[in-house]
Amino acid sequence: MELAERFLLDALAYLECALGVLFSVLLEVVGLPYGRYTSPGSAWQLSATTAWVVQELPSLVVPLFVCVATAAERLRRWPNRVLLAMFVVHYIHRSLIFPFLIRGGKPTSWYVCVMAFVFCTYNGYLQSRYLSHYAVYADDWVTDPRFLAGFVLWLTGMLINIHSDGILRNLRQPGQTGRPVRVREHSQLLWGGAGVVWLRPGQLVRPGCGFRPVHLLCPALQSEAASPVVP
């Protein structure tokens, strides 16, 4: 049973990468009515705050459920604890803090929110199940300079992400309805920081871990072009 689930997690990880590439291409060709591209007359829309909470919350709830409701034997090891905590901390911010700081975000179509909800459920299971049951790290890995360098890089990316969110929120002046002129350069900084957070380099630089494409690709729904922060 464990071996079968291990292969399933590997397959799901590769599928996640493939879907990331596929949706990146589709968005370039077809586009997505999200953020500043949302049609004003679209039916079944959610507020930006509600949509962000609903769609991001599974990536927080699923890992917490896995930790509480399953044996989670690997979480007795500090490397596994730290790596899963990095994931959980990111989604505490994205699901419980960031949505309530949004100013002027445009409504989100219900089906876009559903797509993001499914992805976050998928990814939350993939991350938490692997790190809590199957990932094997040496106990001293958390003190290895490579792990520490990766952790610092992840933390830097998250701080850039949070700082850039604040800049984007404040670009629009009171009463301004258009898209701020400097939004692109700050959006690039924001998603650059988000990319580093997603990579979680403290996990990826482990020697001998092989290629495990978990969390390598940012979901297409969070692309700069579809940012709901500054429509």
Side-chain angles (χ1 to χ4, degrees):
M1 179 64 181
E2 289 188 0
L3 184 60
E5 186 179 26
R6 179 68 178 268
F7 281 122
L8 173 64
L9 291 173
D10 283 346
L12 290 175
Y14 283 102
L15 176 62
E16 184 176 38
C17 279
L19 290 176
V21 174
L22 174 62
F23 275 96
S24 295
V25 174
L26 286 177
L27 287 180
E28 289 294 326
V29 176
V30 180
L32 190 69
Y34 182 66
R36 65 191 178 101
Y37 295 114
T38 301
S39 300
S42 299
W44 293 90
Q45 293 184 337
L46 301 173
S47 70
T49 295
T50 301
W52 270 89
V53 172
V54 170
Q55 69 193 32
E56 301 288 312
L57 203 56
S59 281
L60 175 60
V61 172
V62 172
L64 293 179
F65 175 81
V66 169
C67 291
V68 172
T70 67
E73 294 182 1
R74 292 294 180 187
L75 291 183
R76 297 175 183 176
R77 307 290 186 179
W78 274 107
N80 300 61
R81 291 179 182 178
V82 173
L83 290 168
L84 186 57
M86 292 162 68
F87 182 82
V88 169
V89 165
H90 172 67
Y91 278 102
I92 287 175
H93 176 257
R94 299 313 282 179
S95 62
L96 300 180
I97 299 175
F98 167 76
F100 300 99
L101 298 176
I102 293 175
R103 286 195 287 176
K106 288 190 176 181
T108 300
S109 299
W110 68 270
Y111 64 88
V112 173
C113 182
V114 169
M115 290 168 61
F117 179 89
V118 171
F119 169 82
C120 286
T121 303
Y122 178 133
N123 196 49
Y125 164 75
L126 188 60
Q127 298 286 332
S128 58
R129 190 69 180 176
Y130 174 69
L131 286 171
S132 64
H133 287 75
Y134 300 104
V136 178
Y137 300 94
D139 289 337
D140 62 352
W141 179 235
V142 291
T143 61
D144 189 286
R146 291 164 294 180
F147 182 93
L148 295 175
F151 179 84
V152 169
L153 186 59
W154 167 84
L155 182 61
T156 301
M158 183 165 181
L159 293 176
I160 290 173
N161 196 196
I162 294 172
H163 176 66
S164 299
D165 279 337
I167 293 175
L168 287 172
R169 280 193 298 270
N170 293 313
L171 281 177
R172 177 177 287 143
Q173 302 301 316
Q176 182 180 357
T177 58
R179 182 173 170 83
V181 175
R182 299 182 61 197
V183 68
R184 177 169 294 277
E185 62 183 85
H186 291 296
S187 294
Q188 291 170 345
L189 179 63
L190 168 64
W191 300 120
V196 173
V197 173
W198 271 74
L199 283 171
R200 282 192 297 152
Q203 179 179 2
L204 297 178
V205 296
R206 173 178 173 266
C209 68
F211 177 66
R212 201 166 289 282
V214 178
H215 233 59
L216 285 178
L217 294 175
C218 294
L221 295 181
Q222 293 185 351
S223 66
E224 178 271 330
S227 173
V229 182
V230 184

